[in-house]
Amino acid sequence: MSHNTSDPSLVIRALWFVFVGWWLTGLWLSVAWFLNVTIIGLPIGIKMTNRVPKVLSLKSSQRQLVAGPDGSVVESGPEQPSLLLRGVWFVFVGWWASAIWTGIAYLLTLSIVGIPIAVIMYNKLPFVVSLYKY
């Protein structure tokens, strides 16, 4: 048995994006990048980056609450690569690749035609940064 919270309607998500998501995501990512350049703030910065799809368009994670046979409730979702692999990826690729990725996505949001591509890119940002599957 599982319970997955569904995304808000497309209309609500579109209104959120138009009135809040596009500018809040820019602020959110600025704070996340600041935290990422500090050793102490890095874990929070990565978590913030992983939440970009939610901030941008209220997109829910693919994570679910699943009831086990013993009655316990656990969170499940896409299988993630090992933390070691994700850390190595971030150090050698993720930090600079995600900066380029974010810049291109932001430029695309400045045109009406580019917005759909930008939203897809922002939704993939957690994977680009640290191989995190949202």
Side-chain angles (χ1 to χ4, degrees), residues 68-86:
D70 61 352
S72 64
V73 177
V74 294
E75 187 178 27
S76 73
E79 189 171 329
Q80 303 294 336
S82 73
L83 191 56
L84 177 62
L85 175 62
R86 290 176 59 205

Side-chain angles (χ1 to χ4, degrees), residues 55-66:
V55 175
L56 179 69
S57 66
L58 301 177
K59 182 180 185 331
S60 296
S61 173
Q62 295 177 5
R63 303 228 171 263
Q64 305 177 23
L65 296 179
V66 178

Side-chain angles (χ1 to χ4, degrees), residues 1 3 7 10 22 26 29 31 41 73 83 85 88 90 104 124:
M1 176 181 180
H3 171 65
D7 292 335
L10 184 59
W22 71 270
L29 283 170
V31 171
V73 177
L83 191 56
L85 175 62
V88 170
F90 176 79
I104 293 169
K124 299 292 183 188

Side-chain angles (χ1 to χ4, degrees), residues 6 23 26-27 30 35 41 44 67 70-71 73 78 87-90 92 111-113 128 130 134:
S6 61
W23 62 263
L27 292 173
S30 297
L35 292 170
I44 297 168
D70 61 352
V73 177
V88 170
W89 173 268
F90 176 79
F92 291 106
S111 72
I112 292 174
V113 175
V128 175
S130 65
Y134 192 79

Side-chain angles (χ1 to χ4, degrees), residues 117-128:
I117 298 168
V119 169
I120 292 168
M121 289 181 72
Y122 279 126
N123 286 337
K124 299 292 183 188
L125 184 60
F127 188 78
V128 175

